[in-house]
């Protein structure tokens, strides 16, 4: 059984206000962050330096920052991010900025696991800083809860953007594979050939049917050969898919032949009791072609003069 | 190819189809959105024609203009085809577009025993 790649549909986009509510980030939280900004920010650069010392322990993580200039740039971006976060103002622009970061992560292939580990590490350091800066433990708890909620929101946005970008890529690849998986070719005037390789499932059979029927119409084809010698498994479902395709082609006045029926497939079809009805079948594509030529009144003369023979 | 329109002024033939005779076959051009009621109207007229005019060999249905239809209408059409065969008439279908073909196989309407052509000329070539 194969799992179809889900089609990417429009995802509901949430506003900044909705997200703040969703992540329980209150105006009181944001006010607390703003109040502590002047005392936190001088420490942030040092925290970020420590962060890169920590990251140096993980070469696979460091591999994403392979040059000094990239590293410097990313560090500056991180400082800018914390400056913005500590302003305690989360609006649509902030949300879009986080999504852009997620898209960049997807583009460079930065694993989500690394991002989450980094976020966790920085959170711990910032939380320790707040313990030092704030007098009461209650205040520290509230402040750290506020920071944690914002970091969770950021992580949610970045991971979602990452997943969306990957989904889009998968969808594009799936479309490309689909186009390659149904190469209906007019091999002779009025004769179509479709060799199928791999696994046939309901989605693919639907794609095959659409591609074949459109080709029959555009080429005014009278003969269609569906070669299944490259199909690994033919069970009841696959056989039914193929029979359905041939029935549909017949309705458009096109005679179908399923070629490439191996002895094993033949035996399976009989054992499963599959009724293939009036579908023409042949063991080889050559037989199917001969039959198609004959039906079209095409006579092939074998000559020695024209071609090299082995 | 000669084609003469069967006169049907006031004969009750539905507006969702037009008729002609070609090579002693009644050719019925079904229009888009034909429905079971249209088939009801068609049925008696076609069967009467076949019964009264012994020279007629059967009925060919051209579905070239049919884009939208549903299960019940297709089923009703298949019943009409059976009735024609019971009178000894031959039945042919042509002009089925990819969308309609997909719908027919999805509903598993049994049109597979009929003579089928890609268009009317193709169908006549088979006769």
């Amino acid at each position: 059984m194969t799992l179809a790649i889900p089609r990417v549909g429009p995802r509901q986009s949430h506003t900044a206000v909705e997200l703040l509510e969703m992540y329980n980030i209150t105006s009181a939280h944001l006010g607390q962050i703003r109040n502590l900004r002047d005392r936190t920010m001088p420490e942030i650069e040092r925290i970020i330096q420590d962060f890169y010392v920590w990251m140096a322990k993980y070469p696979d993580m460091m591999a994403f920052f392979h040059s000094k200039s990239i590293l410097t740039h990313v560090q500056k971006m991180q400082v800018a991010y914390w400056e913005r976060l500590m302003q305690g103002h989360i609006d649509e622009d902030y949300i879009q900025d986080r999504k852009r970061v997620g898209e960049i992560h997807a583009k460079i292939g930065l694993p989500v696991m690394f991002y989450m580990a980094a976020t966790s590490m920085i959170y711990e350091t910032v939380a320790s800083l707040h313990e030092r800066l704030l007098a009461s433990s209650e205040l520290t708890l509230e402040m750290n809860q506020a920071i944690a909620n914002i970091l969770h929101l950021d992580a949610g946005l970045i991971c979602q953007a990452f997943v969306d970008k990957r989904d889009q890529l998968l969808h594009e690849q799936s479309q490309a594979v689909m186009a390659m998986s149904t190469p209906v070719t007019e091999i002779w005037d009025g004769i179509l050939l479709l060799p199928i390789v791999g696994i046939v499932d309901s989605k693919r059979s639907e794609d095959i049917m659409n591609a074949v029927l459109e080709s029959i119409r555009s080429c005014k084809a009278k003969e269609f050969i569906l070669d299944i010698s490259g199909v690994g498994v033919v069970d009841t479902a696959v056989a039914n898919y193929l029979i359905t395709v041939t029935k549909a082609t017949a309705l458009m006045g096109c005679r179908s032949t399923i070629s490439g029926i191996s002895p094993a497939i033949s035996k399976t079809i009989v054992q499963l009791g599959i009724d293939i009805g009036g579908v023409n079948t042949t063991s080889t594509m050559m037989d199917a072609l001969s039959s198609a030529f004959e039906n079209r009144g095409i006579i092939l003369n074998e000559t020695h003069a024209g071609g090299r023979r082995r | 190819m000669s084609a003469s329109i069967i006169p049907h002024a006031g004969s009750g033939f539905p507006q969702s189809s037009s008729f002609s005779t070609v090579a002693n076959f009644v050719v019925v051009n079904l229009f888009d959105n034909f429905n079971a009621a249209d088939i009801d109207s068609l049925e008696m007229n076609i069967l009467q024609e076949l019964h009264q005019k012994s020279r007629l060999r059967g009925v060919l249905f051209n579905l070239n203009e049919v884009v939208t239809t549903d299960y019940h209408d297709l089923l009703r059409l298949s019943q009409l085809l059976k009735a024609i065969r019971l009178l000894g008439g031959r039945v042919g279908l042509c002009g089925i577009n990819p969308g309609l073909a997909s719908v027919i196989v999805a509903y598993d309407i049994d049109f597979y025993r009929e003579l089928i052509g890609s268009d009317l000329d193709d169908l006549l070539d088979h006769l």
Side-chain angles (χ1 to χ4, degrees):
Chain A
M1 190 173 122
T2 56
L3 293 174
I5 296 167
R7 293 179 190 187
V8 179
R11 199 182 299 279
Q12 191 191 345
S13 190
H14 296 281
T15 63
V17 174
E18 287 169 340
L19 289 169
L20 287 173
E21 193 184 339
M22 195 184 288
Y23 283 82
N24 192 27
I25 300 166
T26 63
S27 51
H29 284 148
L30 296 172
Q32 282 172 326
I33 288 171
R34 276 194 296 274
N35 290 338
L36 207 63
R37 178 175 176 270
D38 290 343
R39 293 167 73 191
T40 304
M41 278 318 291
E43 303 281 342
I44 285 293
E45 275 198 49
R46 183 191 53 76
I47 289 174
I48 288 170
Q49 293 289 346
D50 289 349
F51 167 72
Y52 283 94
V53 171
W54 167 82
M55 201 167 69
K57 290 189 286 184
Y58 306 98
D60 48 350
M61 212 185 278
M62 280 303 285
F64 288 93
F65 311 99
H66 47 77
S67 75
K68 179 82 180 160
S69 60
I70 290 177
L71 205 58
T72 309
H73 173 72
V74 174
Q75 283 175 347
K76 277 184 187 166
M77 297 293 287
Q78 268 186 298
V79 172
Y81 161 68
W82 276 96
E83 271 178 3
R84 188 165 193 185
L85 188 152
M86 295 305 293
Q87 282 171 5
H89 182 64
I90 292 174
D91 57 7
E92 301 300 337
D93 191 53
Y94 180 93
I95 303 294
Q96 290 308 318
D97 186 57
R98 294 295 86 202
K99 286 180 180 175
R100 272 194 294 276
V101 171
E103 284 172 12
I104 291 167
H105 287 186
K107 200 173 163 187
I108 64 170
L110 182 77
V112 171
M113 186 179 70
F114 288 176
Y115 168 76
M116 296 303 289
T119 302
S120 171
M121 186 272 164
I122 290 216
Y123 171 73
E124 270 188 29
T125 319
V126 172
S128 303
L129 171 69
H130 289 154
E131 278 173 24
R132 277 194 287 119
L133 294 179
L134 294 166
S136 83
S137 59
E138 196 181 332
L139 210 58
T140 306
L141 197 67
E142 278 180 27
M143 182 64 185
N144 285 342
Q145 186 61 57
I147 293 287
N149 288 357
I150 294 178
L151 290 180
H152 285 147
L153 166 66
D154 289 359
L157 290 167
I158 285 174
C159 291
Q160 191 58 58
F162 185 99
V163 169
D164 286 349
K165 193 78 183 168
R166 285 295 172 102
D167 274 355
Q168 187 192 341
L169 190 67
L170 273 175
H171 179 66
E172 286 166 7
Q173 287 173 345
S174 153
Q175 293 288 98
V177 169
M178 200 274 280
M180 287 190 288
S181 68
T182 53
V184 187
T185 312
E186 188 176 24
I187 53 166
W188 208 275
D189 184 29
I191 302 175
L192 295 177
L193 171 68
L194 171 60
I196 308 179
V197 176
I199 294 164
V200 180
D201 57 13
S202 62
K203 169 73 176 66
R204 192 170 180 204
S205 73
E206 191 186 320
D207 293 339
I208 289 171
M209 175 125 83
N210 292 338
V212 169
L213 297 183
E214 279 305 325
S215 297
I216 289 172
R217 175 156 72 175
S218 61
C219 300
K220 298 188 188 307
K222 298 292 175 208
E223 296 285 335
F224 168 59
I225 299 167
L226 183 65
D227 187 75
I228 61 164
S229 48
V231 177
V233 181
V234 174
D235 56 15
T236 312
V238 173
N240 284 332
Y241 294 145
L242 300 178
I243 291 165
T244 303
V245 172
T246 59
K247 277 180 175 177
T249 62
L251 287 169
M252 292 184 68
C254 182
R255 183 179 181 274
S256 293
T257 303
I258 298 178
S259 69
I261 307 258
S262 65
I265 287 177
S266 164
K267 203 173 154 188
T268 307
I269 288 173
V270 173
Q271 281 174 346
L272 291 173
I274 298 165
D275 178 15
I276 62 161
V279 178
N280 303 305
T281 54
T282 63
S283 62
T284 66
M285 196 199 290
M286 195 165 70
D287 289 341
L289 264 176
S290 299
S291 173
F293 283 143
E294 199 178 312
N295 292 333
R296 299 286 294 143
I298 298 164
I299 298 165
L300 292 182
N301 284 324
E302 205 170 337
T303 63
H304 292 275
R308 279 175 286 179
R309 291 170 64 88
R310 293 184 180 182
Chain B
M1 182 192 304
S2 64
S4 64
I5 302 294
I6 301 173
H8 294 298
S11 64
F13 277 81
Q15 292 299 305
S16 56
S17 54
S18 69
F19 299 83
S20 57
T21 52
V22 178
N24 286 329
F25 277 90
V26 177
V27 177
V28 181
N29 294 303
L30 284 174
F31 295 160
D32 192 22
N33 271 318
F34 77 87
N35 57 40
D38 296 327
I39 301 291
D40 290 344
S41 311
L42 270 174
E43 189 166 61
M44 277 317 291
N45 288 287
I46 287 177
L47 298 180
Q48 287 288 352
E49 289 277 335
L50 278 176
H51 183 64
Q52 287 167 6
K53 298 177 181 172
S54 57
R55 65 184 170 82
L56 289 177
R57 296 161 64 198
V59 186
L60 310 179
F61 290 86
N62 186 353
L63 288 87
N64 192 41
E65 292 184 35
V66 178
V67 179
T68 314
T69 186
D70 66 18
Y71 174 75
H72 295 290
D73 301 335
L74 288 170
L75 196 63
R76 187 67 190 88
L77 180 60
S78 77
Q79 288 168 345
L80 172 57
L81 306 189
K82 280 179 192 164
I84 294 168
R85 276 202 302 270
L86 284 172
L87 284 179
R90 294 184 72 184
V91 177
L93 297 170
C94 68
I96 297 175
N97 64 51
L100 188 56
S102 302
V103 169
I104 292 169
V105 292
Y107 288 149
D108 201 22
I109 306 282
D110 188 9
F111 285 158
Y112 313 114
R113 277 177 287 177
E114 319 303 346
L115 197 58
I116 294 190
S118 56
D119 53 30
L120 190 56
D121 288 339
D122 182 42
L123 190 53
L124 290 167
D125 285 346
H126 284 83
L127 295 168

